[in-house]
Amino acid sequence: QLVGRRQGDDIVQEGTRPDGALVRWSFCEITPSSFHWKGESSPDGGRTWRLEAEFLGRRMRPGDGDGRRG
């Protein structure tokens, strides 16, 4: 379970895993057509964070089919 909050122009969701590790999902560089999403965890109460996943998302335009270009 994560709780989301706005932090400046970003959206940050934070929570705790069953093993006690902190979890943070950050959505930044948000535009009408794209965003940057990072998933991180911290086993030491937030002193250090480990990047576990990173995605760059882009909204498809209507009619783009499967989104592939080329």
Side-chain angles (χ1 to χ4, degrees):
Q1 186 174 35
L2 302 175
V3 175
R5 293 183 178 86
R6 183 176 178 167
Q7 291 185 0
D9 291 334
D10 302 340
I11 298 170
V12 179
Q13 296 178 303
E14 299 174 310
T16 305
R17 289 188 181 154
D19 66 2
L22 298 179
V23 177
R24 177 170 68 189
W25 291 0
S26 302
F27 296 85
C28 54
E29 301 170 33
I30 302 167
T31 72
S33 60
S34 65
F35 64 90
H36 182 185
W37 171 29
K38 294 188 298 184
E40 302 170 285
S41 68
S42 175
D44 58 11
R47 288 187 296 278
T48 60
W49 290 91
R50 180 177 144 207
L51 182 65
E52 294 184 336
E54 185 172 28
F55 302 92
L56 298 175
R58 186 178 70 210
R59 184 182 304 270
M60 290 176 42
R61 291 183 304 215
D64 274 356
D66 66 3
R68 296 181 190 176
R69 301 198 186 243

